[in-house]
Amino acid sequence: MKNDIELYKSFFQKRDDYYLETLDKYNQGKKFTFNYATLIFGIFWFLYRKMYIEVIIIYSFISLESLFENLLLKRLIGEERTVIFSFCITVLFLITTGFSGNILYLKKAIRTIGKAKKKYPDFENQNSYVAKKGGTSLVVITILIISLVLILAL
């Protein structure tokens, strides 16, 4: 059990105290806790926490919802009502990500630690694997922001 806590600390890295407490709540049956960082930063929080598959799913949902609004909803209910609908969907989506961010992150941590234990028999290699797969990264966020600035500048 002590090794598991160390593996989780290696995975979480920054704010490990918060996520260990959240993991404890999760294990006690409290599946959904609210994460304000997820609410405020949205997709950037997921990128920061290296949750790339989740980002692709979220981006796909946002794109499909936007297409639905622009191609169909505007014709059915008009532009003004579509704006109101869009605002409501955005608020609902942000609240949903606020409540689901932690659970998605904890499930990723649990999966990663499980893979490390299957792949490596010794703690040192498990810990290295978990530290590499977990933690945070500003690289992708920086690239995304620079790309957006360049696109807008053109």
Side-chain angles (χ1 to χ4, degrees), residues 42-44 46-47 51-67 93 97 144 148 151:
I43 206 163
F44 292 105
F46 288 92
L47 288 170
M51 299 176 68
Y52 306 122
I53 292 171
E54 291 81 353
V55 168
I56 292 169
I57 293 168
I58 291 168
Y59 184 76
S60 297
F61 172 79
I62 291 169
S63 297
L64 288 173
E65 193 271 332
S66 180
L67 280 172
F93 181 75
T97 56
L144 180 65
L148 289 172
I151 289 170

Side-chain angles (χ1 to χ4, degrees), residues 1 14-15 24 28 55 58 82 105 133 142:
M1 187 63 183
K14 295 181 180 182
R15 300 278 320 221
D24 188 45
Q28 292 174 13
V55 168
I58 291 168
T82 301
Y105 190 54
K133 296 292 183 181
T142 304

Side-chain angles (χ1 to χ4, degrees), residues 55-116:
V55 168
I56 292 169
I57 293 168
I58 291 168
Y59 184 76
S60 297
F61 172 79
I62 291 169
S63 297
L64 288 173
E65 193 271 332
S66 180
L67 280 172
F68 168 73
E69 286 177 9
N70 290 322
L71 298 178
L72 184 65
L73 203 58
K74 281 183 183 178
R75 291 183 184 148
L76 292 175
I77 64 173
E79 184 140 358
E80 286 181 22
R81 288 185 181 157
T82 301
V83 170
I84 294 169
F85 175 83
S86 179
F87 176 77
C88 292
I89 290 294
T90 300
V91 169
L92 182 64
F93 181 75
L94 289 172
I95 291 170
T96 302
T97 56
F99 277 108
S100 62
N102 282 342
I103 195 168
L104 292 172
Y105 190 54
L106 293 177
K107 285 185 175 190
K108 180 180 178 181
I110 292 165
R111 278 192 316 272
T112 302
I113 289 168
K115 284 181 187 176

Side-chain angles (χ1 to χ4, degrees), residues 7 10-11 112-113 116 125-135:
L7 290 173
S10 291
F11 182 85
T112 302
I113 289 168
N125 283 327
Q126 292 172 359
N127 199 38
S128 294
Y129 177 84
V130 167
K132 181 181 173 189
K133 296 292 183 181

Side-chain angles (χ1 to χ4, degrees), residues 12 14-15 19 45-51 105 135-136:
F12 298 138
K14 295 181 180 182
R15 300 278 320 221
Y19 289 106
W45 179 85
F46 288 92
L47 288 170
Y48 178 67
R49 287 285 170 185
K50 298 181 179 179
M51 299 176 68
Y105 190 54
T136 60

